[in-house]
Amino acid sequence: MSNTVLSIRNLVVDIPTRHAVLRPVDNVSYDIAAGEILGVVGESGAGKSMAGNAVIGLLNRPAHISGGEIWLNGNRIDNLPREKLRRLRGKDMGMVFQDPLTSLNPLLRIGDQLTETMLTHLDISRSEAEKRAVAALEEVGIPAAAERVNSYPHEFSGGMRQRVVIALALCAEPSLIIADEPTTALDVSVQAQIIALLKRLCRQRGTAVMLITHDMGVIAEACDRVAVMYAGRLAELGPVREVIQNPRHPYTDGLMGSTPLASKGQKRLRQIPGSMPRLGRLPAGCAFNPRCPKAQDACRIDPPPTMEDGRAACLYPIEIEKKVPA
Ligand SMILES: Nc1ncnc2c1ncn2[C@@H]1O[C@H](COP(=O)(O)OP(=O)(O)O)[C@@H](O)[C@H]1O
Ligand SMILES: [Mg+2]
């Protein structure tokens, strides 16, 4: 498809350790189109951040890409030299992390940081960049933007700081934003505002978004499609509405059952029994089998193939709900 911005093909990330090679990302594939928000969800340790960091070229040694391909706007980027990737990172990929202070230089006024970023990546004059910096802050809802351009990061609240980070991530007009738990550190009351802001701005500009979160509620609110990760593998991939209404993978069903979602109107929440296995101790077969209510002997032999429609990697997927006529 011509409007595909990001394409991840059979991505594998390995971490060699003294005892074994750990595989936090195992054969993961998905695309994100222009203007689309793909949610990546799963419990802590599922490999969500590793997959995101592989795309932006920020894996920390000894973790490294050991298989597969990453394409951005039709160009392969997983094998680029460091310097080229660094440039892409500012220009074509914007980042929003959990802690806004990782993106903001504490010693720079936020206006200067925006201006410098634009001057590095866009062919515009300094006065134009300064004008755009104020406009960018207005756009993300910073009150009195013309004055606040002169403030330092520590002079903002957490929520306002994350708004500044969003302005910074978007100011060089990237085609892809990677947002890794962008609201996890914020007060619940501002989380929804930040998600709504990110969604509105990226829709307006046609920016593709990889939105990484452990929170199924955020997925339901913000995303077009969702990729569910478990122990480094893709458990399920599909349109959010369909996945929420009728999860096919028992792990997705378990995640949904443990999240309060207004749209589902569940009576009570139930936790998935047990916990996700550590990487060095994955069970044979489907990594979810020890916790899975539907597991059979076949699930304990090989990792399950992805269903033909691309939806879930499961030998015994949950049936498609039949609408019972009233
Ligand atoms: N340096 C490392 N050595 C060994 N294991 C690591 C290292 N860094 C991360 N991991 C493991 O990689 C897995 C994936 O981590 P991560 O991508 O951060 O998960 P998520 O973002 O989904 O919470 C986790 O099981 C984590 O323990
Ligand atoms: Mg993470």
Side-chain angles (χ1 to χ4, degrees), residues 247-265:
R248 307 294 311 275
H249 198 292
Y251 176 59
T252 314
D253 191 45
L255 267 187
M256 305 280 313
S258 59
T259 313
L261 290 176
S263 59
K264 290 288 273 189

Side-chain angles (χ1 to χ4, degrees), residues 218-286:
V218 168
I219 297 285
E221 197 153 314
C223 300
D224 303 299
R225 284 188 308 136
V226 58
V228 182
M229 283 189 80
Y230 188 81
R233 298 173 191 156
L234 216 51
E236 182 153 6
L237 177 67
V240 164
R241 296 275 151 271
E242 287 174 33
V243 171
I244 286 181
Q245 267 157 29
N246 193 177
R248 307 294 311 275
H249 198 292
Y251 176 59
T252 314
D253 191 45
L255 267 187
M256 305 280 313
S258 59
T259 313
L261 290 176
S263 59
K264 290 288 273 189
Q266 304 121 296
K267 295 204 183 59
R268 60 186 130 101
L269 302 179
R270 51 192 160 82
Q271 294 301 323
I272 309 171
S275 56
M276 197 167 60
R278 302 240 313 265
L279 282 180
R281 312 194 169 186
L282 294 190
C286 173

Side-chain angles (χ1 to χ4, degrees), residues 15-27:
I15 306 176
T17 68
R18 250 187 308 151
H19 306 291
V21 176
L22 306 178
R23 184 156 285 182
V25 179
D26 188 358
N27 198 27

Side-chain angles (χ1 to χ4, degrees), residues 15-17 22-25 42-51 53 60-63 180-181 212 229 232 276-279:
I15 306 176
T17 68
L22 306 178
R23 184 156 285 182
V25 179
E43 287 162 290
S44 173
K48 308 180 297 293
S49 295
M50 283 279 174
N53 289 343
N60 288 320
R61 297 198 147 275
D180 191 345
E181 307 274 5
I212 297 171
M229 283 189 80
M276 197 167 60
R278 302 240 313 265
L279 282 180

Side-chain angles (χ1 to χ4, degrees), residues 287-310:
F288 187 58
N289 85 66
R291 304 170 77 188
C292 183
K294 299 193 74 175
Q296 312 278 321
D297 289 343
C299 304
R300 301 180 185 102
I301 299 167
D302 292 313
T306 304
M307 291 160 59
E308 249 171 55
D309 64 4

Side-chain angles (χ1 to χ4, degrees), residues 95-106 113 161-162 165:
M95 281 105 56
V96 181
F97 295 113
Q98 177 170 337
D99 177 2
L101 294 178
T102 44
S103 310
L104 298 172
N105 183 332
Q113 197 163 338
R161 236 178 250 151
Q162 201 60 306
V165 170

Side-chain angles (χ1 to χ4, degrees), residues 5-8 32-33 36 38 52 55-56 70-73 77 88-95 169-170 173-179 202 206-211:
V5 171
L6 180 74
S7 183
I8 298 178
I32 312 181
E36 181 182 48
L38 176 88
V55 171
I56 52 187
I70 303 171
W71 295 75
L72 184 69
N73 298 318
I77 62 165
L88 264 187
R89 206 151 50 225
K91 173 72 193 89
D92 288 333
M93 296 186 266
M95 281 105 56
L170 284 167
E173 300 166 4
S175 46
L176 173 70
I177 290 278
I178 299 202
C202 292
T207 314
V209 182
M210 182 193 292
L211 177 56

